[in-house]
Amino acid sequence: QTLGGYTETAGHGGWIDADGTLFEDALYVIDITAPLDDREKLRNFLITLAAEVKETLRQQAVYVKLDKAVAFV
């Protein structure tokens, strides 16, 4: 009920860790369509989902962007 739909796009990206090492990875960008009537509920849902993805896929971090706000989970 939280989501209205999504689009998944394969890509390639990179990030730099604290010691300056560049890591490059295959990635998926998932654009989610959702009602905006309760932004806090949506934000909490996305953070929880990102934490589950992080654990399941054994990632060091998952990038979440809602509007212009960014979080690394």
Side-chain angles (χ1 to χ4, degrees), residues 2 34-49 64 66-67 69 71:
T2 302
L36 298 177
D37 55 341
D38 188 345
R39 284 205 184 299
E40 190 62 26
K41 180 179 177 183
L42 178 58
R43 182 187 181 288
N44 291 339
F45 172 80
L46 293 174
I47 296 298
T48 299
L49 179 61
V64 178
L66 178 58
D67 298 323

Side-chain angles (χ1 to χ4, degrees), residues 12-64:
H12 184 85
W15 59 280
I16 299 173
D17 73 358
D19 71 2
T21 304
L22 172 64
F23 290 89
E24 295 184 89
D25 292 309
L27 59 90
Y28 289 95
V29 176
I30 302 172
D31 290 306
I32 296 172
T33 303
L36 298 177
D37 55 341
D38 188 345
R39 284 205 184 299
E40 190 62 26
K41 180 179 177 183
L42 178 58
R43 182 187 181 288
N44 291 339
F45 172 80
L46 293 174
I47 296 298
T48 299
L49 179 61
E52 291 173 11
V53 167
K54 178 182 173 180
E55 181 178 337
T56 300
L57 299 180
R58 297 183 184 146
Q59 298 296 299
Q60 289 184 350
V62 175
Y63 175 91
V64 178

